[in-house]
Amino acid sequence: MVVVTGLGLQSPHGEDAQAVFEALRRGESAVHEVFPGQLPKPAVAATVAFDESRWFTKLQLAGVDRVSQLAVAAADLAFRDAGAPAGLDPERVGVYVGCGMGGGAAIETAYLTGAAGGRVPPLTIPAFMPNAPAAHVAIRQGVKGPVLTYSVACASSAVAIGEALRAVQRGEVDLAMAGGSEALIVPGVVAAWQAMQTLAGFAPGEAARACRPFAADRSGFVLGEGAAFLVLESEAHARARGARSHARLLGYGLSSDATHLTKPDAAGQARALEAALRDAGLQPADVGYCNAHGTATKIGDVVEAEALAMVWGDALPQLRVSSTKAMHGHLLGAAGALEAVITILALQQQALPPNQHGGTVEPACPLNLVEPGDTAAPGLQAAVSSSFAFGGTNAVLAFGRA
Amino acid sequence: MSSLGELQQLIHKKYGIEPSQLDPDASMREHGIDSLALVEFLFEVEDTFKVSLESNPDIDTLAQLAKLIDELRAAQTA
């Protein structure tokens, strides 16, 4: 049995896990306008108020992109939350990080200065490389075991957490720091996302509620940035050192659609959901909450509802569902990790974040959505968090009450 | 005319290191200015002083760097 003994966040709602969960429970959106007047269309995103000076001197920031800065901070907070155990064998500790893009700001600066005939900053490559966040965490924490980066688009950090689970189960490491980081809210990258036509439209003044998962009038997702980390270890290891567990990581399910580069596939998602439940030894009826992938795209939400129906069948009405992307945005490579933290907090608090900005529900999504104001979940014993990615990889994590 | 003073100002501006904290004859590496930070710093030095340093100059102390810049600037005005 593997447990979660530490949580660390640098999220759009802040870094204090309890405060973040309470804000989500109240339905607060962290989504706001970004780069006014600079982009082809108005843009919104959820960003982190981050003070890098708490973890880096100016000297230490040389060649370190924001995505790595956030990762170091969140991983450090997770490790401290786990009691900052001393005496670990550094070769028996691993770092498993999900990241979709790597250093967005670094690569954007390089292209802009280069294209303008200026000189490309010399540390562009180490700042941009997608494995930099994991490397910086390892350097800061002195980790000499496996240090891996999983780049699987929106499923990156769910995969990272799942693979860390396997490494702990196999006895490869005694302790794993697993999570994700993403920081690509820079004009060029946002413009690229706008060009894909998957981002939500919004009326002036309506930025905060632009993302409306499972709503009839949904129009896409909003981008987010941030980092989130879990500390994982075996229950025995945790008990031996007197660590308290936030939750149990019961199972991990993975599948590949093999159908389309960006369109989701219900059968593929269902396979991942079933695999997670099987791995966790759970029946659908045992699961009280699903933190959905729920990007609020026209097609995505319907396909996800279909997949949930395929797996839960008659038990579907008892499964309460919400997508917290409405409030914190889509953190892409870090989405799985942030949403895992939220799912863990839900189990601890016996409360659920609402499916915010719902309005009129999409008829093709007959789900038991968590309503604002009706967030208590007494008796919640198990929950799943889904991440369904561009490229067709689907990752589902199953958590149980500690 | 030594570039040392301007270098010390640049280091302070960029890295928050006070001139008094960095002995010009001390190894910069031992003060935490590792190879990556040094590469970035030399880049900025080139921009600030309008000189061109050869790649990977054999520089370990601030005094050595100041001397090199003095020579390059002198060559420019010669």
Side-chain angles (χ1 to χ4, degrees):
Chain A
M1 176 61 59
V2 175
V3 293
V4 180
T5 52
L7 302 174
L9 292 176
Q10 286 297 325
S11 83
H13 288 88
E15 70 178 34
D16 180 308
Q18 298 310 318
V20 169
F21 191 74
E22 275 155 34
L24 291 171
R25 216 182 147 182
R26 286 194 298 268
E28 286 172 19
S29 170
V31 179
H32 61 91
E33 210 187 343
V34 292
F35 311 127
Q38 290 176 50
L39 293 172
K41 288 192 295 207
V44 295
T47 56
V48 178
F50 180 57
D51 178 6
E52 65 269 10
S53 70
R54 288 166 56 200
W55 283 276
F56 293 87
T57 62
K58 283 192 184 177
L59 199 48
Q60 288 172 315
L61 284 172
V64 183
D65 186 274
R66 184 177 174 82
V67 68
S68 296
Q69 296 169 25
L70 293 170
V72 165
D76 184 52
L77 290 174
F79 190 67
R80 289 198 243 157
D81 184 53
L88 293 169
D89 176 354
E91 291 180 54
R92 300 271 316 157
V93 179
V95 175
Y96 305 80
V97 176
C99 187
M101 178 166 188
I107 201 80
E108 175 132 323
T109 300
Y111 284 141
L112 289 176
T113 50
R119 297 199 302 156
V120 172
L123 300 184
T124 297
I125 295 292
F128 143 78
M129 62 192 193
N131 64 313
H136 283 292
V137 169
I139 292 168
R140 186 59 65 99
Q141 300 293 339
V143 172
K144 299 192 175 180
V147 176
L148 298 168
T149 299
Y150 298 87
S151 190
V152 199
C154 325
S156 299
S157 46
V159 168
I161 290 168
E163 296 300 319
L165 167 68
R166 295 286 183 251
V168 174
Q169 287 172 330
R170 282 192 301 259
E172 278 171 24
V173 294
D174 295 327
L175 187 139
M177 294 181 224
S181 184
E182 200 77 78
L184 46 64
I185 314 296
V186 288
V189 179
V190 175
W193 280 103
Q194 286 183 328
M196 259 205 82
Q197 317 277 2
T198 50
L199 297 181
F202 57 97
E206 295 282 297
R209 30 181 328 274
C211 182
R212 298 185 289 283
F214 306 111
D217 64 347
R218 66 195 184 284
S219 65
F221 61 88
V222 304
L223 294 169
E225 65 164 5
F229 274 81
L230 309 182
V231 172
L232 303 175
E233 56 196 298
S234 73
E235 197 163 38
H237 191 267
R239 210 180 312 118
R241 68 178 186 89
R244 61 88 182 89
S245 301
H246 285 289
R248 305 167 158 206
L249 177 47
L250 299 175
Y252 167 47
L254 196 58
S255 75
S256 161
D257 294 340
T259 49
H260 193 274
L261 197 61
T262 57
K263 285 210 283 249
D265 180 70
Q269 294 179 8
R271 281 197 297 279
L273 288 160
E274 275 159 2
L277 293 178
R278 211 164 37 238
D279 191 47
L282 292 170
Q283 293 300 314
D286 298 327
V287 181
Y289 171 62
C290 170
N291 182 290
H293 182 61
T295 51
T297 59
K298 275 287 180 229
I299 185 172
D301 287 2
V302 171
V303 169
E304 181 164 13
E306 211 186 309
L308 286 170
M310 283 166 72
V311 178
W312 262 261
D314 292 335
L316 190 61
Q318 281 72 53
L319 178 70
R320 298 178 74 186
V321 180
S322 65
S323 166
T324 47
K325 287 185 171 75
M327 297 182 275
H328 56 62
H330 190 349
L331 269 66
L332 302 168
L338 175 59
E339 291 162 27
V341 168
I342 293 167
T343 304
I344 288 164
L345 292 168
L347 282 161
Q348 267 192 328
Q349 309 276 325
Q350 300 280 277
L352 305 178
N355 190 66
Q356 202 57 16
H357 315 145
T360 310
V361 178
E362 164 62 58
C365 297
L367 301 170
N368 182 354
L369 297 170
V370 181
E371 294 288 319
D374 181 24
T375 57
L380 182 70
Q381 289 299 312
V384 295
S385 175
S386 299
S387 298
F388 304 138
F390 274 3
T393 289
N394 306 300
V396 177
L397 298 170
F399 293 94
R401 202 146 143 78
Chain B
M1 187 42 231
S2 170
S3 315
L4 181 60
E6 289 165 88
L7 275 178
Q8 287 172 319
Q9 270 185 7
L10 195 58
I11 284 197
H12 184 242
K13 192 181 83 163
K14 197 160 162 61
Y15 299 127
I17 299 176
E18 300 279 353
S20 55
Q21 287 175 293
L22 179 53
D23 177 358
D25 294 310
S27 161
M28 287 192 280
R29 221 147 293 221
E30 281 166 31
H31 271 79
I33 303 177
D34 73 354
S35 59
L36 285 187
L38 195 58
V39 163
E40 214 181 54
F41 182 58
L42 293 179
F43 193 76
E44 190 125 344
V45 162
E46 287 182 317
D47 274 352
T48 304
F49 293 96
K50 309 279 185 281
V51 293
S52 186
L53 301 166
E54 63 177 41
S55 52
N56 302 319
D58 189 12
I59 303 271
D60 195 32
T61 74
L62 209 52
Q64 286 169 343
L65 183 55
K67 182 159 173 285
L68 179 56
I69 292 169
D70 290 339
E71 287 165 5
L72 290 168
R73 280 166 128 184
Q76 281 175 340
T77 54

